[in-house]
């Protein structure tokens, strides 16, 4: 049986390229499925990729193993205003190195332990 990791991760515009795991850690490498980006200055669509980089961010744990996503992050060149821009990664919020759902999970955990402390008095 094969597990549909793409379906499980449920991330917009991303596709699993590779994955690996050890006793304590899962790493999933993702590529972007959209071919183009939109210039944040003039709004024009461009397919000209200047370079490929990647970011490693923490996501929700899988079966108790720390899980990291290595996300392809492209820099495009706008042919219209001749600027370079890096595409947005929808599942990240700021520069924290955490996915938004992992951040939400941490927040929930903190709120829960606070409630427990209060109820214990
Ligand atoms: Zn532009």
């Amino acid at each position: 049986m094969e597990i549909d990791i793409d379906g499980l991760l449920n991330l917009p515009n991303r596709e699993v390229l590779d994955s690996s795991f050890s006793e304590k850690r899962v790493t999933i490498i993702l590529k972007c499925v959209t071919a183009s980006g939109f210039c944040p200055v003039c709004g024009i669509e461009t397919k000209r990729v200047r370079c490929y980089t990647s970011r490693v961010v923490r996501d929700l744990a899988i079966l108790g193993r720390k899980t990291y996503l290595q996300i392809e992050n492209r820099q495009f060149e706008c042919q219209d205003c001749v600027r370079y821009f890096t595409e947005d990664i929808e599942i990240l919020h700021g520069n924290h190195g955490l996915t938004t759902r992992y951040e939400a999970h941490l927040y929930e955990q903190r709120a829960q332990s606070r409630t427990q402390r209060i109820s214990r008095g």
Side-chain angles (χ1 to χ4, degrees), residues 11 16 25 38 77 80 82-83 100 110-113 117:
L11 298 174
V16 175
R25 185 182 166 126
F38 290 89
E77 182 183 346
D80 202 57
V82 201
R83 270 174 216 265
T100 45
R110 272 197 296 268
Q112 245 171 39
S113 68
R117 268 201 305 275

Side-chain angles (χ1 to χ4, degrees), residues 5-69:
I5 305 178
D6 279 312
L8 203 61
L9 282 175
N10 188 27
L11 298 174
N13 303 325
R14 309 280 154 177
E15 207 175 78
V16 175
L17 202 62
D18 200 5
S19 63
S20 63
F21 66 90
S22 65
E23 211 179 301
K24 289 184 174 163
R25 185 182 166 126
V26 177
T27 304
I28 298 168
I29 301 173
L30 298 166
K31 72 181 198 107
C32 198
V33 293
T34 54
S36 57
F38 290 89
C39 174
V41 179
C42 66
I44 282 179
E45 186 178 10
T46 177
K47 289 186 176 175
R48 190 177 288 181
V49 177
R50 181 167 178 256
C51 68
Y52 292 88
T53 56
S54 64
R55 286 186 61 183
V56 177
V57 298
R58 183 95 183 258
D59 199 3
L60 295 170
I62 297 176
L63 295 175
R65 291 166 213 229
K66 287 181 182 172
T67 300
Y68 294 87
L69 306 178

